[in-house]
Amino acid sequence: MSEAERTASAPQVGLAAVILAATLDDPRVLTVPVAGQPEGRGEGLPAGPLEPAHPTLERGLRAWVERQTGQSLGYVEQLYTFGDRNRRRSDEGPGAEGEGGQHALSVAYLALVREARPAADSVWQSWYRYFPYEDWRAGRPAALDAIGDRLDAWAEAVRDPEERRRRGDRIGLTFGAAGSGWNEERVLERYELLFEAGLVPEAGAEGEDIRGLAGQPMAFDHRRMLATALSRLRGKIKYRPVVFELMPPAFTLGQLQRVVEALSGALLHKQNFRRLVAQQGLVEETESVTAETGGRPARLMRFRREVLLERPAPGLRLPSSRTG
C-alpha cells in the first residue's frame, strides 16, 4: 500500500466539546446548529476536525470552540474517544461518514465554564432538555413510568428466556426498577439502553411522545457524548472540587447547594450539606455579605484552593444513589 493510500485509509480525527455551565438551578450545555440533519436533530456540540496547524488536540479543540461560539475555555479534560466503525463524522458536516468501512474518530472533551453570552448561532440549553428523566429535584420524574412500560415490553419481546432475563436485569440496574436504587451517575448507561431498545430518535424511533419521554435528540452521536460527560461530572463532584469551576469567585452556601443539586438532579438536606462542606474545609468566609438571597443577608464564601495541596481527593462526598 502506498503512503497516499495509507493516509486515505487512516482514521479521521475530529474534536468535540461538551461545555457545561450552571446558572443557579439550571445546568446548561452550549450547543450549535448542525445543518443537514434529520428533522428535529439540528442541535449539536461545538466540533471540528483536527487540522495540521493544531499543535495538540486540546489546542485544536479550543480553537474550534472560540471560532464557533466565542467562548474561551478554562477547565478542560479529555472525556472519551468515540470511534465506532462507520460512525457518522461529527466534525465534517452532513452525510460524512467513514467510507469503505473506515473508522471516523471523535475525541470528546469536557469543559466547565461560567456562563457567558455566546456567539450569535450558539445557544445555552438546559441539559435536562436532552435527559428529562434525570432530574429528580421535584420527585420521581413522571416520564419514568412510561419509559419503564416500554422497556418492559422490549424485554418481553424476545423468546429466549436467558435474553429476557438479561434485559430485565439491565433495566433494573440502570433505571432502579423493582425498588432498587437510582444511581445518578448512570446517565450514559440509561441512554445506551434506551438506544438499544429503539426508544430514542437517534436509533430510528419516531413520534413526539418519544421526545417527551426520552428527551430532545441531537445531531450525530452528540447526545451520547453529552451523556458521557454528565456521568463523568456527577461522579467527579464527589471526589474532586470541580463544582467550583462553575461558581463565581464569591458565592453563598445556598447558591453552592443549588448548583450541586442541579448537577446531581437531587435535593440535598440543607443542614447536612452545610455540615459536609464545613467538614471538608472546601470554603472559607469572605468579608462580604449579600442581600440578594431574599432573606437575611448571607455571608459570601470562596473556594479554598489550598485544599488541593492538603489532600488528594477533596470532594463533596454526596450520596451516590436514591431509591426509585
Side-chain angles (χ1 to χ4, degrees):
M1 180 183 293
S2 68
E3 183 64 29
E5 289 173 329
R6 281 195 296 270
T7 300
S9 62
Q12 303 298 304
V13 178
L15 307 168
V18 184
I19 305 171
L20 302 180
T23 303
L24 289 182
D25 51 3
D26 188 15
R28 302 181 188 238
V29 58
L30 190 57
T31 65
V32 297
V34 180
Q37 294 299 292
E39 183 178 358
R41 289 184 56 186
E43 300 174 17
L45 302 171
L50 179 66
E51 297 177 341
H54 295 153
T56 65
L57 294 173
E58 186 176 316
R59 292 273 294 275
L61 177 87
R62 292 177 183 272
W64 274 114
V65 168
E66 290 201 29
R67 188 184 311 177
Q68 293 179 359
T69 71
Q71 175 78 50
S72 295
L73 299 183
Y75 177 93
V76 170
E77 68 173 82
Q78 192 172 126
L79 187 62
Y80 193 74
T81 298
F82 295 81
D84 295 343
R85 192 171 184 83
N86 291 325
R87 66 178 291 274
R88 285 187 176 274
R89 295 276 297 281
S90 61
D91 50 82
E92 283 204 4
E97 55 184 292
E99 295 185 10
Q102 176 182 341
H103 284 272
L105 304 178
S106 270
V107 182
Y109 283 79
L110 168 63
L112 303 180
V113 302
R114 296 177 188 127
E115 184 173 331
R117 184 183 296 275
D121 288 340
S122 51
V123 178
W124 287 103
Q125 300 278 15
S126 170
W127 76 38
Y128 294 125
R129 169 180 173 83
Y130 307 101
F131 304 101
Y133 50 85
E134 293 291 341
D135 188 1
W136 286 67
R137 289 173 294 172
R140 188 176 189 274
L144 285 177
D145 291 332
I147 288 174
D149 291 342
R150 296 192 182 211
L151 286 173
D152 288 343
W154 169 71
E156 292 297 323
V158 293
R159 294 182 178 180
D160 179 25
E162 182 61 25
E163 175 63 14
R164 263 200 316 275
R165 185 195 60 78
R166 187 187 70 85
R167 290 186 177 188
D169 288 346
R170 286 185 63 200
I171 294 169
L173 181 64
T174 56
F175 280 89
S180 61
W182 173 274
N183 187 328
E184 70 277 2
E185 295 181 37
R186 297 186 183 276
V187 185
L188 177 60
E189 293 171 65
R190 284 188 280 272
Y191 174 73
E192 290 188 329
L193 182 59
L194 291 173
F195 189 100
E196 184 179 335
L199 297 179
V200 294
E202 291 92 331
E206 298 180 354
E208 289 300 319
D209 61 326
I210 289 293
R211 294 183 185 179
L213 294 176
Q216 172 68 32
M218 300 183 81
F220 304 113
D221 52 359
H222 287 192
R223 194 150 58 131
R224 184 171 179 236
M225 295 181 184
L226 177 57
T228 304
L230 303 191
S231 292
R232 171 79 62 86
L233 181 58
R234 282 182 165 184
K236 197 157 192 172
I237 61 176
K238 298 170 185 174
Y239 64 91
R240 297 297 298 171
V242 292
V243 64
F244 296 102
E245 301 290 341
L246 305 172
M247 302 298 298
F251 49 85
T252 68
L253 288 177
Q255 290 170 338
L256 177 61
Q257 180 174 341
R258 291 199 299 275
V259 168
V260 173
E261 290 174 338
L263 300 180
S264 64
L267 293 182
L268 303 171
H269 186 276
K270 179 179 177 180
Q271 295 307 321
N272 288 347
F273 177 79
R274 295 189 175 205
R275 187 179 304 113
L276 180 67
V277 172
Q279 290 172 348
Q280 294 296 316
L282 297 174
V283 301
E284 62 186 0
E285 292 185 350
T286 71
E287 298 298 322
S288 302
V289 297
T290 179
E292 295 180 1
T293 57
R296 295 171 54 188
R299 178 71 61 181
L300 289 174
M301 316 296 287
R302 63 172 164 244
F303 172 54
R304 290 184 61 250
R305 294 206 170 269
E306 298 89 343
V307 77
L308 298 175
L309 302 176
E310 294 171 356
R311 57 185 186 275
L316 288 171
R317 311 298 184 187
L318 301 176
S320 62
S321 64
R322 60 175 44 245
T323 300

